[in-house]
Structures are given as C-alpha cells and as structure tokens.
Amino acid sequence: MKQEDVPQQDIGLYQGNRKVMYALDTDGNYVTVASSGWEVEQQVTSAACDEYRRLADEVLTRARAGLASPLEYHMYARRMDVALLAEVAGLCRWRLRRHLHPQVFAKLGPRWYRRYATALGLTMQELTSLPR
Amino acid sequence: MIVAGFEHRHAGHCESGVTAALLSHYGLPLSEPMALGLSVSMTFVHLQAIRIGGFPLTAYRMMPGSIYKGLGQALDLRMHRRRYHSPDEAMQDLDHQLAAGRPVGLQTSVYWLPYFPAEMRFHFNAHNLIVYGKEADEYLISDPVFDRPQRCPRADLQRARYASGAFAPRGLMYYPLSFNTAFDLERATNRAIEGTVRMMLSWPLPFVGVSAMRRLAARIERLPMRGDNAGYARLYVGNIVRMQEEIGTGGAGFRFMYAAFLQEAGQRLSRPRLLEASAAMTATGDCWREFALLGARFGRGKDGVNADALAAGLRRCADCEEAVYRQLRSR
C-alpha cells in the first residue's frame, strides 16, 4: 500500500482518533501514516455491534411482556453471550440458561443478584429493572 | 506522579507497540516492525473449536504475550511478568512501580476502558497498554493504538485488568529487566525469518499458516446460505474481516508491518533479497485488503459477491503469501 492509498474516510467508529498504518512513501520506504479510518472496518464493526443491539432489543420487548428476564437483556446490552457471562459470573452454562428464565430469575437470592451485578458492572437496582 | 522522559508512541498494534515503546524507554531503541519480526509473532490461525464472541477464533498473530516472549532469545531479553490473585495488590504494585519511576505494560480487556470509542468496546481481553503516571485518581496511559495519551480512572483500570473470559489478563503487569543492546541483528533476523517461514509453510496441524487460509476458504464455500443461516454467514465473514482490520488486532496491517520489518532488516544488513521479499509481502498485504473489501461487500449482501468469490479472494492471499515464504526460504 502506498502512502496516498491509506484510507482517510473519517469513520465515526474512531471518534476522531487515528490509527497507524504502515505504507510506502514515494521512494519506496516504509513510513507510518495516521489513518482516520476505512469504511470496511466501520461496516464490519457496526455489523457486530448491531447484532448485540438487535438481540438486546428483541429480549427487551419480550422482557416487557414478562417472557424474558432483565438479566438476559443486560447480558446482551453488555455485549456478552451465555458462554461469556457464565465464565465471568463463574457458573456453568446450563445453570445460567436456567437463571435467564424470568420466573427463575425473579426468585433468585440476593447473592446471585450481587454476583450478576458485579459480572455485568451494574448496580443491583439496574440489574433487576429494565431501561425505560 | 509522571515517569520522567517517557515518550508516547503511536503504533499499528497494541502489543508490538507496547513492547517497542517499553524497550525504547528502558534503553534499547527498537522499531515496532522489528519487535514484530524478530519475535516471530506474525501468523495465521483459524480454530473452529475456540469461540470468541460466538465465532471461531481467527488470528493474524500469535498468542498474547508472544511478542515480548519471542524477543527473549533474539535480544537476551528478560521480562518481569507478574499476575496477582488480589486486584488490590495488583493496583498497589502498579503504584509502587510508578513511584519507582518505571513505566509498565499491562494486559487488559478493551470493554472496560472508558476512553475507547463505544463501538470498539468488545470483550477482548488481550489488549496491551503502558501506564506511565498517575494524577489523583487517574492513571496516565500510553495506549499505542491511540495517537494521543489517554487517562483512565482507577476503578475502571482495575476492572479492565480483572476481566474474565478467554485470555483473562488476571492483572498481568510486565516491564523489561535486562537485554543485550549489542545483539546480533543478522543472527536474530535469520532465526526469526526461519521461524516464521516454518510456521506458515509447514506447521504440522492444519489450523496454522497458509494451509489454514485454504481450509478457511473451503469452509466459507460450505457456509449454509439459506434463510436464517445467511445472517450467520455474514456475521461469520464479518468477524474474520473484523479480526483483520479492526484497531489493535493486527490483521492485514501485520503484513505491511512485516514488510516494513523485512525492509528495515534488508537495509541494515545490506541484503537485497530481503528487500525483494519486502516488496512481495507488501503485495500480500494489498491482497488481504482486497479480501477485506470483498468480505465487507459480502456482509452487505449485495454487489454480487458470493461465498465462492470470497473464497477465491482468500486463496489468492494464501498463494501470494506462500510465494513470499518460499522466496524467503530459498534466500
């Protein structure tokens, strides 16, 4: 890649930051060039973010109808999935999946709430409620 | 307190950037491409069995920690590395090192660092940064993937150092203890290139190297594309491209960085063959960028890029890269 081919598409993802690319100058020597971003990176990263957002929104709708637990919503809102949250909170996946059921989650003791709240970086209040 | 004389360096990748900046501060001027090249850290790995964020692991570099570990032999480098059971102890020791005037490298999660743009905050635990000072409750951070130094409150930094999941950092802190400033560049370069060539061409298992690229190409061709599966296929390909292009992951940027390493070594050792290989590696990097572009078009689900076209693009990368390694082997 030549210096002038380094993408400078000012992508929103970087929020004004810049990333270093190694590229060739006119004499064919490698130099570092600060890039304001490439649309390709923006697109694939947004797609990954949107997927978590989609899952979270879907669960939010179900949770408002009492069909999903706030825990499941917060899990996706924090860009986690069952495998990751189970590892962070330190329990096995099937047990977490059980806790995701709204009835089961509502009956959990405060120790569990504290554990999930710590894992997700939320207060207990936030963990057991849904955003407006 | 601020460590005197520490200079923030903007780099292409977190670990190579941290290693080069730390070594340079401690008295061994080293460029980032040299750190990457001499540590034999560039690779290609695709592991179906290990899932990160629900997708198989695709990596364009070696395991976290391989850059400064890989430099051990080349530079007689000894690193102080320590993990801590207790987060409090980890933070106290960090303060202690700063008070002693040592900037230190930390392994952290990306998600819990507040200065990262929101869209980049994923649960990726193998990020590296340098702490070079502390003011009140905030740490001064030289994060090599940012062009300016950053600040991070104590509680957030602690959280980022103790994130769990794959590659959990468990508070890892490191700094160089000793190294040989008069190391033999020729010998180190030869060994490192041999290592990379061996890894990329003849690793005994097919998840690593050029054969892993071809296997991944075959897997892309077999992705089910009907109904709900199409969404998964797009995200799967998106994930491969994301690992390649996103900040801090190295990816295709590593091919250019490796080309910069070959060029620097070729110039310093006056070896024209290395310069030729550098040019070929640059072409490989360009090839990877074309693949990323194809992957992004595939992800949008239009423009007529199908799985076969994508797989063909990946095979071109594999062919191009293989040619470079063969050239380096016959050097």
Side-chain angles (χ1 to χ4, degrees):
Chain A
M1 186 168 50
K2 295 208 178 81
Q3 203 170 356
E4 61 267 26
D5 298 333
V6 172
Q8 302 289 359
Q9 291 172 331
D10 225 343
I11 59 176
L13 175 67
Y14 286 6
Q15 292 184 352
N17 292 297
R18 289 182 308 164
K19 157 179 171 180
V20 156
M21 302 286 298
Y22 285 79
L24 295 168
D25 67 7
T26 40
D27 301 326
N29 289 315
Y30 263 99
V31 287
T32 56
V33 183
S35 155
S36 64
W38 193 24
E39 271 171 11
V40 164
E41 183 180 348
Q42 173 75 52
Q43 189 206 318
V44 290
T45 309
S46 298
C49 289
D50 291 348
E51 179 63 10
Y52 283 108
R53 204 169 301 136
R54 184 184 70 78
L55 288 166
D57 288 347
E58 207 179 281
V59 174
L60 187 59
T61 320
R62 281 196 292 128
R64 291 226 165 94
L67 299 170
S69 61
L71 177 62
E72 189 172 358
Y73 165 75
H74 290 298
M75 175 175 83
Y76 290 124
R78 285 294 197 187
R79 294 183 187 158
M80 291 193 185
D81 54 15
V82 171
L84 183 61
L85 181 57
E87 199 163 346
V88 176
L91 73 167
C92 48
R93 293 178 199 182
W94 66 264
R95 204 162 177 205
L96 171 60
R97 273 196 203 100
R98 193 174 155 269
H99 287 176
L100 293 178
H101 287 288
Q103 291 91 338
V104 179
F105 182 72
K107 283 190 195 151
L108 290 178
R111 281 177 59 203
W112 278 112
Y113 287 153
R114 209 168 304 132
R115 202 150 145 186
Y116 285 125
T118 317
L120 292 164
L122 296 168
T123 62
M124 301 246 283
Q125 181 70 38
E126 285 167 329
L127 176 74
T128 47
S129 55
L130 291 167
R132 304 188 163 274
Chain B
M1 73 202 134
I2 297 179
V3 173
F6 181 80
E7 198 188 323
H8 172 69
R9 297 194 351 183
H10 193 193
H13 173 254
C14 63
E15 195 180 324
S16 49
V18 162
T19 306
L22 274 182
L23 284 174
S24 301
H25 176 84
Y26 283 84
L28 175 62
L30 193 73
S31 70
E32 188 192 7
M34 274 286 167
L36 172 77
L38 293 181
S39 61
V40 200
S41 291
M42 192 183 69
T43 186
F44 180 87
V45 181
H46 184 79
L47 277 174
Q48 202 69 17
I50 298 184
R51 291 185 173 247
I52 295 196
F55 295 97
L57 179 145
T58 310
Y60 298 77
R61 60 131 181 200
M62 295 291 282
M63 288 280 288
S66 74
I67 293 188
Y68 51 81
K69 280 187 209 155
L71 287 174
Q73 209 170 21
L75 314 178
D76 293 330
L77 172 65
R78 277 186 45 233
M79 286 293 243
H80 170 90
R81 306 176 78 234
R82 194 168 163 205
R83 301 182 198 263
Y84 306 81
H85 282 296
S86 122
D88 288 331
E89 198 193 342
M91 296 309 280
Q92 271 165 19
D93 200 24
L94 172 61
D95 292 348
H96 175 74
Q97 298 301 344
L98 292 173
R102 291 189 201 107
V104 290
L106 298 180
Q107 187 188 333
T108 66
S109 151
V110 173
Y111 188 84
W112 302 103
L113 293 174
Y115 60 81
F116 260 81
E119 276 193 313
M120 283 187 198
R121 289 170 66 179
F122 284 87
H123 292 278
F124 173 69
N125 285 334
H127 187 59
N128 289 273
L129 50 84
I130 298 172
V131 182
Y132 69 96
K134 189 184 181 189
E135 272 179 12
D137 196 42
E138 281 190 324
Y139 287 92
L140 307 181
I141 291 180
S142 161
D143 192 321
V145 297
F146 286 82
D147 44 357
R148 286 178 295 269
Q150 304 291 326
R151 283 166 176 265
C152 179
R154 183 188 171 96
D156 292 309
L157 186 63
Q158 179 171 334
R159 172 102 228 202
R161 291 179 72 187
Y162 277 87
S164 31
F167 304 126
R170 304 203 313 279
L172 179 67
M173 184 179 82
Y174 53 90
Y175 58 87
L177 285 174
S178 64
F179 41 77
N180 178 7
T181 40
F183 70 93
D184 184 347
L185 179 64
E186 176 133 36
R187 184 157 166 271
T189 305
N190 288 341
R191 285 187 78 115
I193 290 176
E194 267 165 37
T196 300
V197 168
R198 203 177 320 126
M199 180 161 58
M200 296 305 285
L201 289 184
S202 43
W203 191 265
L205 298 170
F207 330 116
V208 179
V210 173
S211 58
M213 296 173 199
R214 300 209 169 99
R215 252 168 74 101
L216 178 57
R219 201 176 285 279
I220 289 173
E221 281 172 338
R222 288 200 307 271
L223 280 175
M225 285 302 297
R226 293 211 184 86
D228 288 348
N229 287 328
Y232 175 78
R234 284 197 197 108
L235 287 169
Y236 178 99
V237 169
N239 191 60
I240 297 166
V241 177
R242 201 152 70 81
M243 291 305 122
Q244 182 187 328
E245 289 303 328
E246 201 184 326
I247 243 186
T249 53
F254 266 7
R255 269 61 195 170
F256 293 121
M257 212 193 286
Y258 201 81
F261 156 70
L262 292 172
Q263 185 178 63
E264 190 179 334
Q267 283 166 354
R268 280 168 66 175
L269 301 169
S270 317
R271 292 238 299 262
R273 300 291 299 263
L274 289 184
L275 299 178
E276 285 164 29
S278 167
M281 190 53 96
T282 305
T284 305
D286 290 332
C287 209
W288 277 105
R289 288 180 70 80
E290 276 164 37
F291 171 70
L293 203 56
L294 284 177
R297 284 166 62 190
F298 179 82
R300 283 202 297 270
K302 42 192 174 192
D303 302 343
V305 175
N306 57 17
D308 293 344
L310 200 58
L314 187 52
R315 287 205 179 88
R316 276 198 297 280
C317 297
D319 294 343
C320 205
E321 240 184 273
E322 185 173 357
V324 185
Y325 299 125
R326 297 224 173 273
Q327 185 182 342
L328 281 168
R329 180 139 82 178
S330 63
R331 137 190 78 90

